[in-house]
Amino acid sequence: MMPNVLTFSSVIRALSRSTHGYKVHRCLQLLERMKDLGARGYAKSRPNSYAYNYLIDACATSLNGLPTPTKLHADPGNKPSDAFRIASQLFTQILSSSDTTLQADPYTYGFYLKACYHLLPNQGSITGSTSGDGTKTLETIATKAFQLASRNGQVSKEVIYWYQLACPEVDYKRMLGPDSLVQ
């Protein structure tokens, strides 16, 4: 019996909620296995939005439960910069996908904003962006994700919650516009 997308997604979700030190690496392996099976004709094993969303959540919580201050860095998801890079790549793949089973939903944006909040420094900046000075701040990245969610009609309570944590000084209601149903 071949595992299907529900089986794989359930395991990825369970790992995302765990404090397992290598959960991002293990989730990435499962995602690759799903892709491989899908490419070999097992359509019921192809990854969908759920698998990607839970993997983004695994990145967001990749530092939970790890020893401090010498966090385990053997897993590519245990360094905040690596975990955020992986979450961003997955987020971009979902946003650019033409596959109807791999479309962004409120969970996609919520988990990505959660990753921003947990993995990006609250002050200062990160390098490697495309902005003019080569840096982006937590507020810049989170605001862009929130605006995308708003533009695509994907703002939920969770999206607002994680955006408010990441950017407490930004007026999200003003960003949504006067026609917003959010009070």
Side-chain angles (χ1 to χ4, degrees):
M1 185 166 165
M2 185 63 61
N4 62 22
V5 68
L6 180 61
T7 308
F8 280 111
S9 296
S10 296
V11 173
I12 291 172
R13 182 177 185 207
L15 281 168
S16 76
R17 293 177 170 191
S18 77
T19 57
H20 189 279
Y22 297 95
K23 68 182 175 183
V24 173
H25 176 71
R26 185 68 185 118
C27 288
L28 284 170
Q29 287 178 328
L30 290 170
L31 184 72
E32 288 307 314
R33 173 109 167 109
M34 293 173 77
K35 288 179 181 179
D36 180 57
L37 287 171
R40 291 191 304 162
Y42 298 104
K44 291 183 178 183
S45 294
R46 280 186 27 238
N48 61 13
S49 298
Y50 295 106
Y52 276 78
N53 288 346
Y54 295 138
L55 186 42
I56 293 170
D57 191 38
C59 292
T61 60
S62 62
L63 304 180
N64 291 1
L66 295 179
T68 309
T70 58
K71 300 211 182 284
L72 299 172
H73 293 297
D75 181 15
N78 286 348
K79 281 177 56 179
S81 59
D82 290 343
F84 185 73
R85 179 184 46 78
I86 293 166
S88 293
Q89 289 171 347
L90 295 165
F91 183 68
T92 301
Q93 287 174 24
I94 293 173
L95 292 178
S96 62
S97 176
S98 59
D99 183 345
T100 57
T101 65
L102 188 59
Q103 297 297 307
D105 59 24
Y107 291 101
T108 308
Y109 293 98
F111 288 144
Y112 184 69
L113 286 166
K114 183 179 180 180
C116 290
Y117 175 71
H118 283 296
L119 301 172
L120 295 177
N122 288 334
Q123 308 223 336
S125 59
I126 58 171
T127 57
S129 73
T130 57
S131 64
D133 66 353
T135 61
K136 283 188 179 180
T137 64
L138 166 61
E139 184 177 313
T140 302
I141 294 169
T143 297
K144 184 175 179 181
F146 185 80
Q147 288 170 333
L148 273 170
S150 177
R151 213 173 14 251
N152 294 325
Q154 301 296 328
V155 175
S156 66
K157 288 188 297 186
E158 289 77 18
V159 170
I160 291 170
Y161 173 80
W162 287 109
Y163 183 64
Q164 285 179 309
L165 285 177
C167 305
E169 302 299 318
V170 177
D171 181 4
Y172 72 91
K173 289 180 186 176
R174 179 185 49 79
M175 289 178 51
L176 289 173
D179 298 331
S180 169
L181 299 176
V182 177
Q183 299 300 319

